Amino acid sequence: MINIRVLKNYNELSSTVADIVEAQIKEQSKLVLPTGSTPLGLYKELVNRKLDWSLILTFNLDEYLMNPDHPCSYHSYMKKNLFDRTNIYPDNCHFPFRPTLSFEDKMTLGRRIDLCILGIGTNGHIAFNEPGSSFKSRTRVVNLSLQTIQDNSRFFDSIEDVPKQAITMGLRTIMESKKIVLMVNGKHKLTILNVAMNGEIIETVPASILQRHNNVEVYYCD
Ligand code: PGA
C-alpha cells in the first residue's frame, strides 16, 4: 500500500514535483521523464527556475513509432516544452530506440537512474506498458490499447492519426530507478489510482507494480 499525497491544485502538484527534480538537477543526475498533459506544468515551472541542466542525462519513458520530427511525437513535445528552453545538451537527451538492449545499456551505463517521473493512464498503464504487460518487461515495441489510442487522440487531428504502436521502457526497467515519483492530475484517474496503489499487485494493473518499490512518492490533485 502506497500513501497518496493529495495536493491543493495543479500548480501545487507542478511545483512540488519541480522541487524534487530541482534537488536532483543540483547533482549530476540521470532522470527518466514522462510526456502527456500532466507534466506540462512541471516543465513550465522547471524552465522558469532557470536551472543548470548541463550535466544532466535524460531518458524519456516512451515514444510513438512515428517520425520523431512529427509535431505530435514525444521528441517534439520534449523539445518544445523543456529541452529547447534549457541549457541541456541535445546529445544528453535520450528516447527509447532499437536495438532496445542498446538503449537499456545506455540507460544503465555507469549507474542507475536517480529519479523517474511517471504519469498513469486511465487504464493503469505506466509509460506505454498496457494492462497485461509482464512485470519482467524491458524496453520493447508494443501495440497501444484502444483506451490509450482514444485517450491520446486529443493530441492529434483525428483518432486515425494516432500511431498504433510505440516503443516503451519496460516495467522492470522503470522499477530499477532509485526513486520514483508518480504525478496524477484529475478525478477521472482517482479510481484507477486507488486500485493500483492499494489493490492487488497484478499485471492487468501495470502501475500496481510500484507497490513493490521501496522509494515511491505519489502526488495527486483533482
Ligand atoms: P496524461 O497521460 O498526463 O496526458 O493524462 C498520462 C499517461 O497516459 O501516462
Side-chain angles (χ1 to χ4, degrees):
M1 183 167 160
I2 300 178
N3 183 29
I4 300 169
R5 297 185 211 183
V6 180
L7 300 173
K8 279 203 297 286
N9 52 41
Y10 183 65
N11 280 348
E12 199 180 38
L13 175 70
S14 303
S15 63
T16 301
V17 179
D19 289 345
I20 297 169
V21 176
E22 181 171 356
Q24 286 291 338
I25 298 281
K26 288 185 177 142
E27 297 165 24
Q28 188 180 350
S29 292
K30 292 167 93 167
L31 308 180
V32 167
L33 298 177
T35 51
S37 306
T38 310
L40 284 171
L42 163 69
Y43 294 148
K44 198 167 169 212
E45 177 71 26
L46 288 171
V47 168
N48 288 341
R49 292 186 188 190
K50 299 196 184 317
L51 307 171
D52 179 9
W53 289 75
S54 58
L55 296 176
I56 302 301
L57 301 183
T58 67
F59 296 84
N60 265 79
L61 284 165
D62 45 19
E63 175 59 290
Y64 295 114
L65 278 196
M66 73 189 317
N67 182 345
D69 295 328
H70 189 285
C72 293
S73 76
Y74 289 161
H75 280 75
S76 299
Y77 170 106
M78 290 304 298
K79 275 168 69 69
K80 179 173 166 215
N81 293 301
L82 187 70
F83 298 154
D84 283 356
R85 303 169 70 197
T86 66
N87 67 340
I88 196 164
Y89 289 109
D91 284 354
N92 287 347
C93 305
H94 307 93
F95 289 79
F97 61 82
R98 287 184 282 190
T100 53
L101 282 181
S102 309
F103 172 73
E104 295 241 346
D105 285 347
K106 196 161 205 151
M107 255 181 89
T108 49
L109 187 74
R111 64 169 201 279
R112 285 159 63 200
I113 293 293
D114 297 286
L115 173 65
C116 171
I117 311 286
L118 293 177
I120 185 171
T122 56
N123 63 0
H125 75 200
I126 47 176
F128 277 138
N129 293 285
E130 302 286 27
S133 297
S134 166
F135 284 163
K136 296 187 184 132
S137 55
R138 294 207 165 272
T139 304
R140 67 206 186 284
V141 173
V142 293
N143 295 323
L144 298 180
S145 71
L146 189 57
Q147 181 71 59
T148 296
I149 291 171
Q150 277 164 357
D151 286 351
N152 289 6
S153 63
R154 68 189 192 280
F155 298 111
F156 292 80
D157 289 339
S158 82
I159 192 163
E160 285 75 39
D161 293 339
V162 184
K164 308 286 178 288
Q165 288 190 304
I167 180 160
T168 183
M169 282 184 199
L171 293 169
R172 178 165 282 177
T173 323
I174 290 169
M175 288 291 282
E176 286 170 355
S177 309
K178 290 187 209 163
K179 175 178 176 127
I180 296 177
V181 170
L182 175 62
M183 300 180 78
V184 189
N185 176 31
K187 281 197 181 72
H188 63 297
K189 302 259 182 93
L190 196 51
T191 305
I192 189 65
L193 180 63
N194 275 319
V195 168
M197 298 301 111
N198 303 317
E200 192 182 350
I201 302 173
I202 187 165
E203 289 180 346
T204 47
V205 184
S208 66
I209 195 176
L210 297 177
Q211 294 184 51
R212 293 199 182 139
H213 198 283
N214 61 10
N215 192 2
V216 181
E217 292 173 13
V218 180
Y219 296 94
Y220 168 82
C221 73
D222 56 24

